[in-house]
Short mmCIF file of all heavy atoms in Angstrom, two decimals:
data_model
loop_
_atom_site.label_atom_id
_atom_site.label_comp_id
_atom_site.label_asym_id
_atom_site.label_seq_id
_atom_site.Cartn_x
_atom_site.Cartn_y
_atom_site.Cartn_z
N LYS A 3 123.36 40.65 15.58
CA LYS A 3 122.36 41.30 16.41
C LYS A 3 121.35 42.05 15.54
O LYS A 3 120.15 42.04 15.78
CB LYS A 3 123.03 42.26 17.40
CG LYS A 3 122.12 42.78 18.48
CD LYS A 3 122.93 43.56 19.52
CE LYS A 3 122.04 44.01 20.66
NZ LYS A 3 122.81 44.75 21.67
N ARG A 6 119.11 39.52 13.80
CA ARG A 6 118.17 38.97 14.77
C ARG A 6 117.03 39.95 15.04
O ARG A 6 115.87 39.58 15.10
CB ARG A 6 118.91 38.63 16.07
CG ARG A 6 118.02 37.90 17.09
CD ARG A 6 118.84 37.32 18.23
NE ARG A 6 119.53 38.32 19.00
CZ ARG A 6 120.85 38.49 18.98
NH1 ARG A 6 121.61 37.73 18.22
NH2 ARG A 6 121.42 39.43 19.72
N ASN A 7 117.36 41.24 15.19
CA ASN A 7 116.34 42.26 15.41
C ASN A 7 115.41 42.37 14.21
O ASN A 7 114.20 42.58 14.35
CB ASN A 7 116.99 43.62 15.69
CG ASN A 7 117.62 43.67 17.07
OD1 ASN A 7 117.34 42.82 17.91
ND2 ASN A 7 118.50 44.62 17.30
N THR A 10 113.07 39.44 14.25
CA THR A 10 112.08 39.64 15.32
C THR A 10 111.00 40.62 14.88
O THR A 10 109.81 40.43 15.15
CB THR A 10 112.78 40.16 16.60
OG1 THR A 10 113.80 39.26 16.96
CG2 THR A 10 111.79 40.29 17.74
N PHE A 11 111.43 41.67 14.20
CA PHE A 11 110.50 42.70 13.74
C PHE A 11 109.49 42.11 12.74
O PHE A 11 108.28 42.30 12.85
CB PHE A 11 111.28 43.84 13.10
CG PHE A 11 110.41 44.91 12.48
CD1 PHE A 11 109.54 45.66 13.26
CD2 PHE A 11 110.45 45.16 11.12
CE1 PHE A 11 108.74 46.65 12.71
CE2 PHE A 11 109.66 46.14 10.55
CZ PHE A 11 108.79 46.89 11.35
N GLN A 19 101.30 41.99 15.82
CA GLN A 19 101.77 43.01 16.76
C GLN A 19 101.98 44.33 16.03
O GLN A 19 102.51 44.37 14.92
CB GLN A 19 103.09 42.55 17.39
CG GLN A 19 103.58 43.44 18.53
CD GLN A 19 104.89 42.91 19.09
OE1 GLN A 19 105.74 42.44 18.36
NE2 GLN A 19 105.04 43.01 20.41
N ARG A 22 104.12 50.01 17.38
CA ARG A 22 104.26 50.61 18.72
C ARG A 22 104.53 49.53 19.76
O ARG A 22 105.40 49.68 20.62
CB ARG A 22 102.97 51.38 19.06
CG ARG A 22 102.95 51.98 20.47
CD ARG A 22 103.88 53.15 20.57
NE ARG A 22 103.82 53.76 21.88
CZ ARG A 22 102.95 54.72 22.23
NH1 ARG A 22 102.08 55.18 21.32
NH2 ARG A 22 102.96 55.24 23.42
N GLU A 23 103.79 48.43 19.67
CA GLU A 23 103.98 47.33 20.63
C GLU A 23 105.36 46.71 20.46
O GLU A 23 106.02 46.34 21.43
CB GLU A 23 102.89 46.27 20.43
CG GLU A 23 101.52 46.72 20.89
CD GLU A 23 100.41 45.76 20.47
OE1 GLU A 23 100.62 45.00 19.49
OE2 GLU A 23 99.35 45.78 21.11
N TYR A 24 105.80 46.60 19.20
CA TYR A 24 107.12 46.05 18.93
C TYR A 24 108.21 46.94 19.52
O TYR A 24 109.16 46.45 20.14
CB TYR A 24 107.35 45.92 17.42
CG TYR A 24 108.78 45.63 17.04
CD1 TYR A 24 109.32 44.36 17.19
CD2 TYR A 24 109.60 46.66 16.56
CE1 TYR A 24 110.64 44.11 16.86
CE2 TYR A 24 110.92 46.41 16.23
CZ TYR A 24 111.44 45.13 16.38
OH TYR A 24 112.75 44.89 16.07
N GLU A 25 108.08 48.27 19.36
CA GLU A 25 109.07 49.21 19.90
C GLU A 25 109.15 49.12 21.41
O GLU A 25 110.23 49.17 22.00
CB GLU A 25 108.72 50.63 19.46
CG GLU A 25 108.97 50.89 17.97
CD GLU A 25 108.49 52.26 17.53
OE1 GLU A 25 107.70 52.89 18.29
OE2 GLU A 25 108.91 52.72 16.45
N GLU A 26 107.98 48.99 22.07
CA GLU A 26 107.97 48.86 23.54
C GLU A 26 108.64 47.57 23.97
O GLU A 26 109.39 47.53 24.95
CB GLU A 26 106.52 48.92 24.05
CG GLU A 26 105.88 50.29 23.98
CD GLU A 26 106.63 51.32 24.82
OE1 GLU A 26 107.03 50.98 25.95
OE2 GLU A 26 106.85 52.44 24.34
N GLN A 27 108.38 46.50 23.21
CA GLN A 27 109.00 45.21 23.53
C GLN A 27 110.51 45.28 23.40
O GLN A 27 111.25 44.79 24.25
CB GLN A 27 108.43 44.14 22.60
CG GLN A 27 109.08 42.76 22.79
CD GLN A 27 108.60 41.77 21.74
OE1 GLN A 27 107.48 41.85 21.25
NE2 GLN A 27 109.46 40.83 21.39
N MET A 28 110.98 45.92 22.32
CA MET A 28 112.41 46.03 22.09
C MET A 28 113.08 46.91 23.14
O MET A 28 114.22 46.66 23.54
CB MET A 28 112.68 46.57 20.69
CG MET A 28 112.34 45.60 19.57
SD MET A 28 113.13 43.99 19.77
CE MET A 28 114.85 44.43 19.60
N LYS A 29 112.36 47.95 23.56
CA LYS A 29 112.91 48.83 24.58
C LYS A 29 113.14 48.07 25.88
O LYS A 29 114.19 48.17 26.52
CB LYS A 29 111.97 50.00 24.82
CG LYS A 29 112.44 50.97 25.89
CD LYS A 29 111.45 52.10 26.09
CE LYS A 29 111.88 53.00 27.23
NZ LYS A 29 110.90 54.07 27.48
N LYS A 30 112.15 47.26 26.28
CA LYS A 30 112.28 46.46 27.51
C LYS A 30 113.42 45.47 27.39
O LYS A 30 114.20 45.26 28.32
CB LYS A 30 110.97 45.74 27.80
CG LYS A 30 109.84 46.67 28.24
CD LYS A 30 108.55 45.90 28.45
CE LYS A 30 107.42 46.84 28.83
NZ LYS A 30 106.12 46.12 28.98
N SER A 31 113.52 44.85 26.22
CA SER A 31 114.60 43.88 25.98
C SER A 31 115.96 44.56 26.05
O SER A 31 116.91 44.04 26.64
CB SER A 31 114.40 43.23 24.61
OG SER A 31 115.51 42.43 24.29
N ARG A 32 116.03 45.74 25.45
CA ARG A 32 117.30 46.48 25.43
C ARG A 32 117.73 46.85 26.84
O ARG A 32 118.90 46.72 27.21
CB ARG A 32 117.12 47.75 24.59
CG ARG A 32 118.33 48.64 24.53
CD ARG A 32 118.03 49.93 23.79
NE ARG A 32 117.01 50.70 24.47
CZ ARG A 32 116.63 51.93 24.10
NH1 ARG A 32 117.17 52.51 23.06
NH2 ARG A 32 115.71 52.58 24.77
N LEU A 33 116.79 47.31 27.69
CA LEU A 33 117.14 47.74 29.04
C LEU A 33 117.52 46.56 29.93
O LEU A 33 118.38 46.70 30.80
CB LEU A 33 115.96 48.50 29.66
CG LEU A 33 115.58 49.82 28.97
CD1 LEU A 33 114.47 50.52 29.74
CD2 LEU A 33 116.78 50.75 28.84
N SER A 34 116.91 45.41 29.72
CA SER A 34 117.22 44.27 30.58
C SER A 34 118.59 43.67 30.25
O SER A 34 119.15 42.91 31.03
CB SER A 34 116.15 43.19 30.42
OG SER A 34 116.16 42.67 29.10
#
Side-chain angles (χ1 to χ4, degrees):
K3 191 172 184 180
R6 186 168 62 250
N7 287 345
T10 304
F11 175 62
Q19 188 180 38
R22 176 72 178 272
E23 289 170 338
Y24 168 77
E25 289 174 344
E26 288 299 318
Q27 177 186 330
M28 290 306 295
K29 179 181 176 182
K30 290 177 182 177
S31 172
R32 177 186 63 174
L33 296 184
S34 65

